[in-house]
Amino acid sequence: MDGYDGGAHGLTSLYAVDALDPQEAAAAEAHLRGCADCREELVEVREALAAAVADEPAEAPSAALRARVMAALDDVPQLPALPAAVAPAASASEPDDELSRRRARRETDRTSAARAGGTTGRRAPRRWVQGLAAAAAAVVVAGAAVSGYAALQWREEARSAQQVALAVTQVAGAPDAQLVDAQGGAEGWGSSRVVVSRSLGEAVLVPTGVEDAPSGRTWQLWFVTGDAARPAGTFAGAGSAAVLSGAVDGADAVAVTLEPAGGSETPTSTPVAVYPLTA
Amino acid sequence: MSGGGGTGADRERAVDPLAASMARVAAGDRDAFGEVYDAVAPKVLAVTRAVLRNPSMAEEVTQEVLLEVWRQAARYDPSAGSVGAWATTIGHRRAVDRVRSVRAREDREDRVVAGEGRVEYDEVSEQVLQHEDESRVRKALTGLTELQREAVVMAYWGGRTSTEISAQLGVPVPTVKTRLRDGLQRLRVDLARGEPAAGSAS
Ligand SMILES: [Zn+2]
């Protein structure tokens, strides 16, 4: 029990009761990933809290609620187990809400970064802007939007999808936005497009028609300048529009290759699609 | 980190009978899901109702949480806690997320009216300790000092951050954090020892 007077370990019990401000909570999560003692503590404090919550509240859950939940099961596909290799110790101890929150937070940062980059709230009247954003959102949510119930159940995913759609709107709405078709696209890549804004320094891939990467592999994005390729993030496949990571800077083109899962430092295969950027 | 009681807590977690049901839920077994539902829904509803203080919103969040349990059943890891604690954690987090966006707005207005913090706490305390779970919660928290208990109830059942609690009690943030930490450690140790929460059959 020593060492409780502050410091990173000291955040854990406060994290367990969700009593931290967002920045502190992020620090606690970062610490938990690397501290087995605190993960154990988190589990025990949560266990103690749950034990203190009444088993039999004054008003028991209604029969109607149970019936609604049971009826909704048909609309909620179950997730497959995480492969052990993919589940780091810290996230295994967390409800996977945290993962989606982290993802959403990342997208939020990205979006506000895009906003901070200039042209705040500016909207080009071009019709394709809206169409494109809607298309991106549809692509992202496609796997999730299974029924009318989706709106509730998939809030996390939808939120993150909205962030991507927002990023797309930002990029596509910039005055210098370019819409670039794939060139020399391999099979399945002919309809994919990249939207890029040099003033915002952002680019987005809208992978229409693209299939999921084969298992054990991933699609990887690159900014190509001359004969150098800079990694710009990986994405699994058709289900996800992707905001390229890193700034466009002076890139001549965006390219996509198929890489081993986890991605590569430099491309190890011929691009399946190249999107030339004009200066 | 764990004192003498740690092993007992580990053992208790290992034999959570719901873990076996969860394995069946992961395979799409609806009867097993029914068992899990009946075991955890009352707790999830109790905690969401305490935080949200709005019965229909609490039911809505409880529904979301139970469907999360169904959706993520294959990802439930018994070594990371009981099914009940897992579901309760998700419920608390979601209720807190929901209430904080509303409260952020309300608090901006509340700040003008100083001194209302006490009333707020009394309200939470009344709801939780009398209307809702009186005997159970009181019993679980008897090992805590009054100040620790106040902080833990405001944080967990009231859904407050330590900053919010500090503003409402007029006590510095580090003091609130210390009370919370000490109170939660005490709660944790009491549970590991099997007291006083286990003695609920008074
Ligand atoms: Zn630690």
Side-chain angles (χ1 to χ4, degrees):
Chain A
M1 226 84 3
D2 23 274
Y4 262 116
D5 24 274
H9 295 297
L11 290 175
T12 298
S13 54
L14 303 176
Y15 180 76
V17 281
D18 297 316
L20 295 174
D21 297 327
Q23 301 87 330
E24 292 175 312
E29 285 173 12
H31 175 74
L32 280 159
R33 282 194 285 278
C35 181
D37 278 350
C38 281
R39 288 200 296 272
E40 179 65 16
E41 176 184 343
L42 179 65
V43 168
E44 289 183 7
V45 172
R46 282 176 171 170
E47 214 62 58
L49 287 163
V53 171
D55 270 318
E56 290 154 19
E59 288 165 63
S62 65
L65 176 62
R66 192 182 199 278
R68 278 204 303 280
V69 171
M70 296 308 275
L73 295 183
D74 283 331
D75 296 333
V76 181
Q78 293 182 290
L79 295 175
L82 283 178
V86 182
S91 66
S93 70
E94 295 298 289
D96 104 351
D97 265 23
E98 245 111 337
L99 292 176
S100 32
R101 291 164 120 241
R102 265 204 289 281
R103 199 170 52 229
R105 203 178 300 143
R106 227 184 299 126
E107 295 300 346
T108 309
D109 292 349
R110 203 187 283 292
T111 307
S112 40
R115 259 200 222 104
T119 68
T120 41
R122 178 154 187 171
R123 253 180 223 182
R126 285 170 287 180
R127 215 176 303 148
W128 61 264
V129 171
Q130 274 123 20
L132 201 56
V139 167
V140 178
V141 205
V146 288
S147 76
Y149 182 69
L152 250 194
Q153 179 56 27
W154 305 99
R155 181 172 295 150
E156 294 289 335
E157 285 86 339
R159 196 179 296 149
S160 147
Q162 276 168 9
Q163 303 289 2
V164 174
L166 199 53
V168 174
T169 309
Q170 294 281 344
V171 175
D176 64 339
Q178 297 173 37
L179 184 62
V180 187
D181 290 321
Q183 303 223 333
E187 196 184 330
W189 284 83
S191 307
S192 65
R193 288 165 161 183
V194 160
V195 189
V196 62
S197 159
R198 292 216 185 252
S199 66
L200 292 178
E202 295 265 349
V204 180
L205 175 76
V206 184
T208 310
V210 173
E211 308 227 311
D212 286 349
S215 76
R217 316 289 294 279
T218 184
W219 302 118
Q220 185 163 4
L221 295 150
W222 306 91
F223 282 120
V224 181
T225 309
D227 55 3
R230 180 156 50 89
T234 61
F235 70 107
S240 46
V243 183
L244 276 70
S245 56
V248 176
D249 288 342
D252 305 318
V254 167
V256 181
T257 60
L258 187 60
E259 299 294 333
S264 307
E265 294 285 305
T266 54
T268 63
S269 63
T270 315
V272 292
V274 175
Y275 312 84
L277 310 181
T278 56
Chain B
M1 191 99 274
S2 52
T7 325
D10 291 345
R11 199 151 303 255
E12 200 175 320
R13 286 209 301 276
V15 297
D16 178 7
L18 285 180
S21 306
M22 280 300 280
R24 287 162 53 215
V25 174
D29 184 330
R30 283 162 197 242
D31 292 338
F33 179 75
E35 290 164 19
V36 172
Y37 179 98
D38 292 335
V40 307
K43 266 188 199 295
V44 175
L45 187 62
V47 81
T48 54
R49 197 185 275 152
V51 172
L52 292 163
R53 286 186 262 167
N54 174 323
S56 64
M57 244 193 238
E59 280 215 347
E60 199 181 310
V61 173
T62 299
Q63 174 169 349
E64 282 181 35
V65 172
L66 268 297
L67 289 169
E68 268 315 289
V69 167
W70 165 260
R71 190 167 83 97
Q72 295 189 31
R75 298 185 176 185
Y76 165 69
D77 173 5
S79 73
S82 67
V83 179
W86 185 57
T88 307
T89 296
I90 299 176
H92 190 262
R93 172 66 56 79
R94 292 201 170 201
V96 156
D97 280 350
R98 190 176 286 209
V99 84
R100 267 180 204 162
S101 54
V102 176
R103 189 167 290 153
R105 197 174 54 234
E106 287 176 355
D107 279 0
R108 277 196 294 278
E109 295 150 16
D110 278 2
R111 217 159 282 149
V112 183
V113 193
E116 267 194 310
R118 276 287 156 184
V119 179
E120 276 255 42
Y121 168 63
D122 290 345
E123 202 185 315
V124 175
S125 143
E126 183 189 346
Q127 172 113 2
V128 171
L129 298 180
Q130 290 172 22
H131 172 67
E132 203 60 79
D133 322 320
E134 186 173 17
S135 61
R136 181 64 176 264
V137 173
R138 268 191 205 290
K139 214 158 249 164
L141 303 183
T142 42
L144 280 59
T145 68
E146 177 54 35
L147 291 175
Q148 291 168 355
R149 198 171 67 112
E150 177 183 59
V152 168
V153 168
M154 287 181 81
Y156 191 69
W157 282 270
R160 305 294 205 276
T161 64
S162 45
T163 310
E164 289 170 328
I165 296 170
S166 154
Q168 283 174 16
L169 296 182
V171 166
V173 172
T175 308
V176 171
K177 288 183 169 175
T178 300
R179 287 177 190 170
L180 270 175
R181 258 178 223 131
D182 292 349
L184 291 166
Q185 289 314 313
R186 181 60 200 256
L187 190 61
R188 172 189 176 200
V189 169
D190 285 350
L191 178 83
R193 285 204 199 115
E195 65 183 38
S200 56
S202 54

